[in-house]
Structure formats: structure tokens, C-alpha cells
Amino acid sequence: MTTRIDAKFAALAAEGRKAFVSYIMAGDPDYDTSLEVVRGLPAAGVDIIELGLPFTDPMADGPTIQLAGQRALEAGMTLDRTLDLARSFRETDDTTPIVLMGYYNPIYSCGVDAFLTKAKDAGIDGLIVVDLPPEEDSELCIPAQDAGLNFIRLATPTTDDKRLPRVLQNTSGFVYYVSITGITGAAEAEAGDVGPEVARIKSATDLPVIVGFGINTPEKSKAIASVADGAVVGSAIVGRIAAGDSVDAVLAFVKTLADGAHAA
């Protein structure tokens, strides 16, 4: 199985470049605006789009992402509308990978088989479902991989050497390393702390390791990407949307972050 995610990392490796991943909450502040932002991300330098699935009770997300989810839900966003947004994006872009990030409840309510069929049809390439541990792989992870979707797992500063092999088992696409202990947007990532952890993970897997949480400036994006295979930025971008920045202004900010990661 080769997904758009696998193809993207192969292309980046051939070019000697690091990846830049951007997170956007689907439907924030409304469907049309978020679709316009998502459509503009590739031209702003984004290699992989992480599309947030709005949910009422998130666990890993800080206030910025939580509020984005609330705005999206209040604007009428659902799982099906999130997939509609991805499908609309695919009308003009068939190469940029999309990773759907969220929680299991909406997927469970939809039904795993029905969800996977819809997700594939919409052009989703990978899943990050933060509340399904490896012990529950038979629930969604393995069916997703059988359906041709990457299942991306998070490793954290508290993932010790005993736990790491279990986390990496059945993971594909890339490993998402959470640079801080806590929620999104709560603290700043430090390359000096992240580097040894990335090296530890890479010694146990051939998958790319991408670092997220606590990256909010072009300089930080460059510093973190320099010690990993790429960087993820979410809260800093979502915060610009919350502040009412225009789509063009949001995308201009994204480009500075992408340029930082690509300069690593």
C-alpha cells in the first residue's frame, strides 16, 4: 500500500526537504471560509493538511482548538460535512495528503465500515484518532489500514522505551511526536529537548517523525524541523482565524511557517 502520505515523504526525501504540516479545524469559522483556507494551503507551502474533525469533548486540545471546534459545531459542522469539505478540496487537488484528526465518538456513531468507505471516497489519506490506544487497534486502526488509510499514532515525552514498541506497532504514514507534556498551545517546543526524543523514536522505526505542539513562529518551525522530519503547526494558525484575519492574511502567515520548516 502506497498512500499520498507515503508518496509525499518519498518526494521530500528525494529533494532533501523537511515536511510542513498545517492543522485547520474543518468548518471554523464556517464551512465556506475553512474550505477557502484549506484550498490555499498547498500554494502556501503546506505539504500535508491535518483536518480537524469538530467534537464536543476533546482531550488533547487546548483552548484555541477547543474554541475552534465549538465555532465549527455552532456553524453546523458534522462528520459528513467535514468529509464533504475534503471532497470539495479534492476537486482541484488530487496530490496533497489529508490527515483527518479527531476523536472516536463521531466515527463510532457513524459505524466504522461506513466511515471508512466515506473517508476513502472523500480523499482522506490518514487518520489520527487520539483516544484509541494501541490496545484497541482492532477497533479502527487495522480496518483503516486494510481500507488503504494510514493510521498515525502519537508519541509523547512520557512514552518510555517499554511503551514505544506498542505505540509504533501498526502505525503507518508517519509518527507524530508531541513535543510537550500537556495540551495544544500550552507551551513552546524546544529543539534541544525534542532532538534526542526524535532520535530515540527513529532508532525504533523507519517512519518519518513529525513534531507538533508548541510551534508558533517561523523560527520555531525551522528549529524543530531541523531535528525531525518536519513540523506541525495548529494553534498559531487557528488563532489567526479566531482573530478574524482574512483568508489571505492567514495563508500569508502559514507561508512564513512553511518557509521556516523548509529552510531547516
Side-chain angles (χ1 to χ4, degrees):
M1 179 184 74
T2 299
T3 66
R4 290 185 185 92
I5 296 171
D6 301 324
K8 174 59 70 173
F9 279 112
L12 288 167
E15 296 167 7
R17 291 201 309 150
K18 301 300 179 74
F20 180 70
V21 183
S22 69
Y23 173 96
I24 296 292
M25 178 65 73
D28 175 36
D30 56 68
Y31 182 96
D32 291 339
T33 303
S34 66
L35 176 57
E36 190 177 352
V37 172
V38 171
R39 280 178 168 163
L41 292 176
V46 172
D47 298 299
I48 297 172
I49 297 168
E50 194 180 330
L51 189 62
L53 174 61
F55 181 56
T56 52
D57 299 281
M59 295 185 302
D61 299 307
T64 300
I65 304 295
Q66 286 187 33
L67 289 170
Q70 289 178 20
R71 289 191 297 271
L73 291 169
E74 288 167 4
M77 210 61 182
T78 62
L79 170 58
D80 282 341
R81 292 203 79 202
T82 298
L83 295 177
D84 285 343
L85 190 149
R87 192 176 291 106
S88 294
F89 173 82
R90 283 281 173 243
E91 292 173 0
T92 55
D93 187 315
D94 194 43
T95 57
T96 304
I98 300 176
V99 175
L100 190 67
M101 181 173 184
Y103 298 85
Y104 186 46
N105 291 58
I107 297 170
Y108 178 80
S109 296
C110 176
V112 168
D113 291 342
F115 165 74
L116 291 174
T117 298
K118 292 179 179 181
K120 281 292 288 184
D121 178 70
I124 299 297
D125 303 292
L127 303 175
I128 299 175
V129 182
V130 296
D131 54 349
L132 275 181
E135 287 74 14
E136 306 296 337
D137 273 358
S138 61
E139 191 83 17
L140 178 63
C141 171
I142 292 172
Q145 305 223 63
D146 288 344
L149 295 169
N150 290 125
F151 199 88
I152 296 144
R153 195 84 68 189
L154 275 62
T156 74
T158 59
T159 305
D160 60 20
D161 288 341
K162 182 179 179 180
R163 180 64 175 169
L164 184 60
R166 192 67 180 267
V167 169
L168 295 175
Q169 182 182 346
N170 297 325
T171 298
S172 65
F174 60 92
V175 179
Y176 187 132
Y177 179 68
V178 176
S179 66
I180 60 172
T181 303
I183 53 176
T184 58
E188 291 197 9
E190 298 297 337
D193 298 329
V194 169
E197 288 299 294
V198 171
R200 180 171 69 94
I201 296 167
K202 288 182 73 68
S203 71
T205 180
D206 293 330
L207 293 171
V209 179
I210 307 299
V211 177
F213 287 48
I215 304 170
N216 49 25
T217 66
E219 294 76 20
K220 188 71 71 175
S221 182
K222 179 180 179 180
I224 295 300
S226 71
V227 297
D229 294 302
V232 184
V233 179
S235 293
I237 299 169
V238 172
R240 298 295 181 103
I241 295 171
D245 285 12
S246 68
V247 171
D248 287 345
V250 171
L251 294 173
F253 176 60
V254 171
K255 187 176 187 306
T256 67
L257 299 165
D259 288 347
H262 292 151

